[in-house]
Amino acid sequence: MRALKWGLGILAVLVAAVAIAVLTIDVNRFKPQIVAAIEDATGRKLEIAQDMKLSLWPLGVGVKQVSFANAAWGSRPQMATIGEFTAQVDLFALLGRQIKIDRLVLADVDLLLEKNRQGQANWEFQPAKPGAPAAAPGQSRTESKDSGFSGLPVISDVSLKNVKLAYRDAQSGASNDVNLSELSVKQASGGLLATRLAAVVDGNEIRAEGTLGSLDDLMAQTRPWPIKMAVTVPGAKASIDGSIAQPMQAKGLALKIAADIPDLAAVATKFGAAAPAVPVNLQAELKDPGPQRYSLSGIAAKLGDSDLTGSGEINLAGARPAVKLDLASKSFDATKLMPKNNGAKPAAVGGSGGVPAPAAKSEAKSDGRLFSNDPLPLDGLNAVDAVLAYKAERFKAPSLDVQGLAFDLVLKDGVLQLKPAIQQLAGGSLNGDITLNGKSKALIAKLNGKGIVLSDYLQKADITDVIRRGGATDLALDVSSQGASLRQIMAGLNGKAVLKVGEGELKEEYVRATLPRLADAVSVLGRATAKTKLHCVVTGLDIKAGVVTPKALLAETGSLTVTGDGTINLGTEQLDLRIIPSSRDTGLAAALPPVRVRGMLLDPSFTPDPAALAKSVIGTAAGIAALGPLALLSPALGSGGDNAETACAKATALAEGRPVPQSSTQPSQQQQQQPSPLQDLRKGLGGLLGR
């Protein structure tokens, strides 16, 4: 008992001695040394306006009104000001030569980070004594040889309140502001730090809460530093869960990221951007498999009714960034991810889809040209290398609803190659191969379509119901060009194109709705019935130096045949075509004058060619000579007795450059002499044309 009393007495004396020592220490006598040390290390002035205060219990030091000078070129005198700084130290740990801070408080902080027009940053310091040796690597992270204190300071509780952080870049004009109302970091179980943050970034509220690894692990980097945070902004939530092997160098990432946004448009608006009003859910895993390489695996995204899965990688170590993506969708609807047009639809005639009325001329086309002369952003092809593979079981876009979509995109050294493939497009298929060279500005494009049912495509895409049913279509396009703008590319276009539309049912009022001047020029078309069988439409085009010349042009309904010739100059956008309607009924055939189509692509003119009819060009040797091989396609020229099937076969052969098949039938003498009920119409039109 006596020993216990002596022990307690000695302890009381020691505590009293420490208390007296602490109370009698004037910490302000160290202020000049502290200020001088900071100024020597940074070359900037540190000012402590008020006296430093030392407290006994809890043991700590506090100071108010501290300011740190900005760079000489800075936009304001102070880089940082601190209203209050308090550090509470564990006395017993201090006696054991270990620095343990129980609580660290920073309040009313105003920090400015800025760059000038020369790219200098105000956080780049020049020591007042440039010859002073730097600390050995790792020494500041472990123990100081002279201090006798081991390890880093252990901070149990950090609290930041009312912190203002501003960033200004005079070179780029970038400007950001962060108002940190609260940041607390407290010691939690397992050596982790429980963290809570509430801030306003550029006017947008952000909250975060979770756990981080210890400060010792952060600095030592001997094991992965764990991080688990949940971040909330108005209208969105995100989370990060994983670890960073070398957090001070941001290397060794192994992070699972997730985001949940009920309304993307609402969130985008808060950040001054535009986005579709769809819910978004995203999950992925972020890693860095090599220096300046980052990979995303396990991508699983939902954007409204659309889904996206796959993986990707970006490599920043090369001469230019390189991106690689491998993505897939079960269903992707791009129409719901595009800006809304307020539900407006073009005026239509007939049926549910109808026929779009002629579009109004755009005010933006001040030169009256269809193809823009604005430079294409081809230089952007040299900014990045990319490899993209994408597959979708179903894909929907404006005027496109397909199944089995796949495309491969490769962008390497400024050369873009795209290979799209569609397994199911309105009952048919479509494949392509497009190459665009950003350096030489050369374009090569090939496109092949097979069995695309035109009526299904046009009606499903809500374009028109001009073809009520059928119209299986084949397409072959093989062109090349070179140019810095779309206008230059069209002016230098070379190649060929073949279009074949099979049997279907045609709405003839389409002609009257979309080409009213053509219908007026050939007034007999006004007598067309509500529907007409379509046997075929065949077009074969040769393209040289931007000039399109049809080597086959036929629209065959059985009762009415339309052929034509002429040129379309894609460079000047000038039209010089002759449309030649005819019929197997000799009386009606003579009543249908050729129609001249001239003018510009955006403003064509349609005028009848009565001179050709008055001179009886149709059905004469002169007419055959004028049309050349195209004369074989008109029942009023050539054999005149071909049925619709043979006419379509001849046109297809001409379009594809194959030998033209022989006529399968010849008209009988009785058929040739049979009077036509439309002879009166012929006479009437002949009178109008001055015959």
Side-chain angles (χ1 to χ4, degrees):
M1 183 64 70
R2 180 177 298 179
L4 179 60
K5 290 181 179 179
W6 276 103
L8 291 174
I10 293 172
L11 181 60
V13 171
L14 289 175
V15 171
V18 171
I20 292 171
V22 170
L23 291 174
T24 56
I25 292 176
D26 182 12
V27 293
N28 286 287
R29 66 189 178 96
F30 297 108
K31 188 191 297 186
Q33 289 93 324
I34 295 173
V35 170
I38 297 296
E39 292 182 356
D40 288 344
T42 65
R44 307 272 184 88
K45 183 178 180 180
L46 176 71
E47 182 178 353
I48 303 176
Q50 294 190 6
D51 288 342
M52 300 169 62
K53 294 183 179 180
L54 184 68
S55 62
L56 175 62
W57 195 263
L59 180 62
V61 62
V63 64
K64 294 184 178 181
Q65 296 185 9
V66 179
S67 63
F68 181 64
N70 201 359
W73 49 262
S75 60
R76 73 182 190 188
Q78 290 82 28
M79 176 181 177
T81 60
I82 301 174
E84 178 183 355
F85 170 83
T86 303
Q88 298 175 0
V89 183
D90 187 321
L91 175 61
F92 294 102
L94 196 62
L95 294 175
R97 312 193 72 77
Q98 180 183 9
I99 300 176
K100 182 179 180 182
I101 300 176
D102 291 332
R103 182 171 174 79
L104 179 67
V105 177
L106 280 171
D108 300 327
V109 178
D110 188 351
L111 175 63
L112 171 64
L113 302 177
E114 61 180 336
K115 285 185 175 182
N116 61 16
R117 294 186 181 276
Q118 289 71 41
Q120 292 177 296
N122 70 340
W123 59 86
E124 296 173 351
F125 303 113
Q126 295 294 330
K129 297 179 179 180
Q139 181 174 327
S140 61
R141 300 178 191 167
T142 54
E143 64 181 271
S144 170
K145 295 180 180 179
D146 298 330
S147 66
F149 288 92
S150 61
L152 286 168
V154 177
I155 304 176
S156 301
D157 187 348
V158 177
S159 178
L160 277 66
K161 297 180 180 180
N162 191 25
V163 176
K164 295 181 179 180
L165 171 64
Y167 174 75
R168 304 288 184 267
D169 190 333
Q171 271 189 333
S172 65
S175 175
N176 300 100
D177 293 279
V178 177
N179 292 325
L180 189 66
S181 57
E182 176 191 4
L183 173 61
S184 64
V185 181
K186 297 182 179 180
Q187 199 75 30
S189 60
L192 299 177
L193 299 175
T195 305
R196 175 179 295 180
L197 176 145
V200 176
V201 179
D202 295 333
N204 300 289
E205 183 180 359
I206 297 178
R207 293 185 176 274
E209 188 170 358
T211 58
L212 302 172
S214 68
L215 186 59
D216 268 340
D217 289 342
L218 175 67
M219 304 301 292
Q221 302 186 116
T222 56
R223 58 181 179 179
W225 191 65
I227 176 173
K228 186 174 183 178
M229 297 293 293
V231 181
T232 302
V233 299
K237 296 180 180 179
S239 64
I240 303 174
D241 189 358
S243 63
I244 306 175
Q246 297 175 281
M248 299 303 292
Q249 289 79 33
K251 295 180 179 179
L253 305 178
L255 302 171
K256 292 182 179 179
I257 57 178
D260 185 14
I261 307 174
D263 186 349
L264 184 61
V267 175
T269 301
K270 295 180 181 296
F271 291 90
V278 296
V280 175
N281 183 273
L282 171 67
Q283 296 181 4
E285 186 170 352
L286 174 64
K287 293 184 178 181
D288 55 337
Q292 298 187 59
R293 289 176 55 200
Y294 303 93
S295 68
L296 279 174
S297 60
I299 298 174
K302 287 283 292 182
L303 300 87
D305 297 330
S306 302
D307 64 90
L308 194 65
T309 60
S311 60
E313 181 177 312
I314 180 169
N315 188 347
L316 304 177
R320 61 173 67 89
V323 180
K324 184 177 181 180
L325 292 172
D326 188 354
L327 303 173
S329 301
K330 289 185 177 296
S331 177
F332 199 94
D333 188 349
T335 62
K336 295 184 178 180
L337 304 178
M338 301 178 70
K340 300 294 183 182
N341 61 355
N342 299 322
K345 290 186 178 181
V349 177
S352 58
V355 178
K361 294 180 182 179
S362 171
E363 294 182 1
K365 302 292 182 181
S366 58
D367 60 355
R369 303 287 291 272
L370 175 63
F371 304 120
S372 172
N373 203 32
D374 294 337
L376 295 171
L378 299 179
D379 291 341
L381 297 178
N382 296 294
V384 64
D385 290 339
V387 177
L388 171 61
Y390 177 70
K391 295 181 179 179
E393 294 181 17
R394 183 180 180 186
F395 186 88
K396 189 175 182 181
S399 303
L400 189 66
D401 191 348
V402 302
Q403 293 181 343
L405 168 70
F407 68 80
D408 293 313
L409 181 150
V410 177
L411 176 57
K412 180 70 174 177
D413 296 331
V415 179
L416 173 67
Q417 185 173 31
L418 176 64
K419 294 184 177 181
I422 300 174
Q423 295 178 2
Q424 289 290 332
L425 171 58
S429 62
L430 187 68
N431 296 277
D433 190 345
I434 303 168
T435 301
L436 180 60
N437 191 316
K439 296 179 180 178
S440 66
K441 300 175 176 56
L443 170 69
I444 300 174
K446 297 180 180 180
L447 200 62
N448 289 281
K450 295 289 185 182
I452 302 169
V453 181
L454 201 55
S455 61
D456 291 351
Y457 169 71
L458 294 175
Q459 293 177 34
K460 198 170 187 179
D462 200 23
I463 298 176
T464 179
D465 62 349
V466 56
I467 301 179
R468 292 181 182 271
R469 61 176 180 82
T473 301
D474 292 348
L475 169 67
L477 177 71
D478 188 350
V479 295
S480 63
S481 187
Q482 188 174 13
S485 68
L486 183 57
R487 185 176 297 177
Q488 291 179 12
I489 289 175
M490 300 308 291
L493 201 66
N494 293 285
K496 58 184 178 180
V498 176
L499 175 70
K500 299 180 291 183
V501 181
E503 289 190 359
E505 190 174 284
L506 177 68
K507 247 186 165 182
E508 286 190 355
E509 59 261 38
Y510 171 77
V511 177
R512 296 195 300 274
T514 60
L515 300 175
R517 284 171 287 177
L518 176 60
D520 291 340
V522 188
S523 58
V524 72
L525 293 179
R527 304 178 64 254
T529 58
K531 60 182 181 179
T532 297
K533 182 176 181 180
L534 175 69
H535 285 274
C536 70
V537 174
V538 179
T539 302
L541 305 175
D542 278 336
I543 311 170
K544 294 182 180 179
V547 178
V548 181
T549 304
K551 59 182 180 181
L553 183 60
L554 173 69
E556 176 64 70
T557 70
S559 62
L560 181 67
T561 301
V562 178
T563 60
D565 65 351
T567 60
I568 302 173
N569 191 319
L570 299 177
T572 62
E573 300 187 20
Q574 291 181 324
L575 299 166
D576 186 10
L577 296 171
R578 178 172 50 171
I579 305 299
I580 305 172
S582 57
S583 173
R584 287 174 177 79
D585 187 304
T586 57
L588 180 58
L592 299 176
V595 177
R596 287 288 184 180
V597 183
R598 291 190 172 95
M600 303 291 287
L601 286 175
L602 283 179
D603 189 19
S605 64
F606 302 89
T607 57
D609 189 359
L613 187 62
K615 295 176 182 178
S616 301
V617 172
I618 303 298
T620 67
I624 296 175
L627 278 177
L630 295 180
L632 297 173
L633 305 181
S634 174
L637 299 173
S639 65
D642 289 339
N643 57 28
E645 182 179 353
T646 303
C648 292
K650 287 183 176 182
T652 301
L654 280 173
E656 296 177 345
R658 296 185 286 105
V660 178
Q662 297 296 318
S663 301
S664 59
T665 61
Q666 294 292 337
S668 66
Q669 184 176 1
Q670 181 180 1
Q671 287 175 324
Q672 293 176 358
Q673 295 177 354
Q674 183 178 357
S676 168
L678 295 175
Q679 287 180 353
D680 291 339
L681 176 61
R682 174 188 176 184
K683 293 179 180 179
L685 286 176
L688 290 174
L689 296 172
R691 298 180 59 192

